[in-house]
Amino acid sequence: MRIGMALNYSGGFKETVAELADYEKAGLDIVFVAEAYSFDAVSQMGYIAARTERLQIASGILPIYSRTPALLAMTAAGMDYISDGRFTLGIGASGPQVIEGFHGVPYTAPLGRTREIIEICRKVWRRERLEYSGKHYTLPLEGGTGLGKPLKLINHPVRPRIPIVLAAIGPKNVELAAELAEGWEPIFFMPEKAADVWGPSLAAGKARRDPALGELDVIAQAFLAIGDDVEGLRELGRPMAALYIGGMGAKGKNFYNDLARRYGYEKEAEQIQELYLQGKKEEAAALVPGELLERMSLIGSEGHVRERIAAMREAGVTTINISPIAHTHEERLALIEKIRDIAA
């Protein structure tokens, strides 16, 4: 298994990136840089590329609506160039609250757009003249001035196929990831429920998968703490779980709430959303099932963490995207070294 980590720079971006060199030496394989509606991820990833040597760098994620397909391809090629082939393009649809609220772009046809974007990116990286006729994107543009030309990327990319990771939890999105992407990143991954919730979608997508893409990289997220008295740290996951299940979307249009229901927590998901949308965030967090927090984390004794790693491996996980919980940089380094050994 690869060991990944989501970049956390709440204490200062430059200070956090300075620590990445130590994490790199400790065995960290890949770092994921989020964007959402914060600072853009690309400028930060460029800085990381200059400060690291071996570490893989991934966008985690770039929303598909905020950049044109060609710009996504150019950005990925540029990042791959300055990192000497260490970049992974993580993309996802995000949600209507962000896309329509922050970007002012209609949240339409996420599946169809994602498929076309992936196809366009790969044409750009192969330096083909960019001619594409899709339902959502037509290049060159039809209409307009009529002066558009089918151009090809000026530079020669480091790699003609940069890895693409698709963040997805809905059945059709997961199927698309298994068909077209090098990697798939779900959220709130529970190994015991993964086959029931996502198995049919993964099987359908893999049935159409080009063998040249290789095996699907399955990227699971987990808080990490190892010790005999750390179980209470699972509670740190409550606010985030409540935010997603309760507040990341409107009633009837919350993908994370839907996932909790598919996991079997229908009653809890409904109550969490009701409370969260009423502004009762602490009450909502209190209703997040303890079983969910326990099974999607790596928090407990070393023996317990080994069992959870085995369960993740059995469920198909190939990359663990961890959030190490510790008071000091040295303690976080020790956690990365330990999980590196356990997952080897």
Side-chain angles (χ1 to χ4, degrees):
M1 284 186 180
R2 289 193 307 173
I3 303 300
M5 186 174 71
L7 187 71
N8 180 356
Y9 50 94
S10 58
F13 174 73
K14 291 182 179 180
E15 292 80 1
T16 298
V17 173
E19 294 179 349
L20 275 178
D22 293 334
Y23 293 145
E24 187 176 40
K25 294 174 184 176
L28 189 69
D29 296 303
I30 185 168
V31 62
F32 293 80
V33 183
E35 185 168 90
Y37 45 99
S38 183
F39 293 141
D40 81 285
V42 180
S43 60
Q44 298 173 79
M45 291 188 295
Y47 185 86
I48 292 171
R51 298 296 300 271
T52 55
E53 298 177 359
R54 176 190 60 81
L55 194 66
Q56 298 288 309
I57 303 165
S59 54
I61 60 168
L62 297 182
I64 61 170
Y65 294 93
S66 56
R67 296 168 175 85
T68 67
L71 179 56
L72 279 168
M74 292 165 61
T75 298
M79 275 301 310
D80 208 44
Y81 172 67
I82 63 171
S83 66
D84 296 321
R86 293 186 283 140
F87 181 64
T88 293
L89 176 61
I91 58 174
S94 186
Q97 285 189 327
V98 174
I99 300 307
E100 296 186 353
F102 196 68
H103 294 289
V105 177
Y107 189 85
T108 57
L111 278 169
R113 289 182 185 278
T114 299
R115 177 180 292 276
E116 293 186 13
I117 285 168
I118 291 173
E119 292 173 351
I120 291 168
C121 282
R122 288 176 175 156
K123 285 178 70 74
V124 171
W125 298 333
R126 293 193 298 265
R127 296 193 72 246
E128 298 175 7
R129 293 200 178 276
L130 193 49
E131 296 180 279
Y132 189 87
S133 180
K135 182 177 180 181
H136 308 287
Y137 301 102
T138 300
L139 302 167
L141 179 68
E142 293 181 352
T145 65
L147 299 176
K149 292 180 60 178
L151 304 173
K152 65 180 179 181
L153 191 68
I154 293 174
N155 307 82
H156 289 259
V158 174
R159 292 178 290 177
R161 200 187 77 217
I162 296 166
I164 294 174
V165 167
L166 184 58
I169 55 176
K172 291 298 183 181
N173 275 325
V174 172
E175 184 176 332
L176 183 67
E179 177 189 353
L180 289 183
E182 279 83 359
W184 165 52
E185 184 177 13
I187 193 172
F188 301 152
F189 189 89
M190 286 183 64
E192 290 80 3
K193 301 287 183 74
D196 292 336
V197 172
W198 290 308
S201 297
L202 290 170
K206 289 179 180 179
R208 299 190 298 273
R209 185 177 182 84
D210 184 345
L213 290 172
E215 292 296 318
L216 182 68
D217 182 21
V218 178
I219 305 163
Q221 304 170 16
F223 285 107
L224 172 66
I226 301 175
D228 294 327
D229 57 351
V230 298
E231 288 82 0
L233 294 176
R234 294 172 191 159
E235 296 298 305
L236 295 176
R238 281 190 183 277
M240 185 183 77
L243 167 64
Y244 278 78
I245 296 170
M248 292 292 272
K251 263 191 166 297
K253 198 68 174 179
N254 181 322
F255 310 126
Y256 313 101
N257 191 278
D258 292 343
L259 176 59
R261 292 171 185 269
R262 292 166 66 202
Y263 274 160
Y265 303 119
E266 294 91 349
K267 180 179 178 181
E268 294 90 339
E270 182 176 355
Q271 292 176 329
I272 290 167
Q273 187 176 55
E274 287 282 354
L275 290 168
Y276 207 95
L277 294 179
Q278 293 172 19
K280 300 176 181 179
K281 297 180 181 180
E282 292 185 4
E283 292 91 332
L287 293 180
V288 174
E291 180 186 57
L292 177 63
L293 296 173
E294 187 268 326
R295 291 191 175 182
M296 68 181 188
S297 71
L298 295 171
I299 296 177
S301 66
E302 182 174 333
H304 175 79
V305 171
R306 287 185 181 276
E307 290 175 1
R308 299 312 301 158
I309 288 289
M312 287 186 171
R313 196 190 307 272
E314 180 68 21
V317 173
T318 49
T319 298
I320 308 169
N321 197 11
I322 61 165
S323 296
I325 304 173
H327 293 294
T328 67
H329 176 55
E330 289 71 24
E331 290 172 334
R332 289 188 289 274
L333 278 175
L335 280 173
I336 290 172
E337 291 172 345
K338 175 62 72 174
I339 200 64
R340 173 77 276 166
D341 291 341
I342 292 174

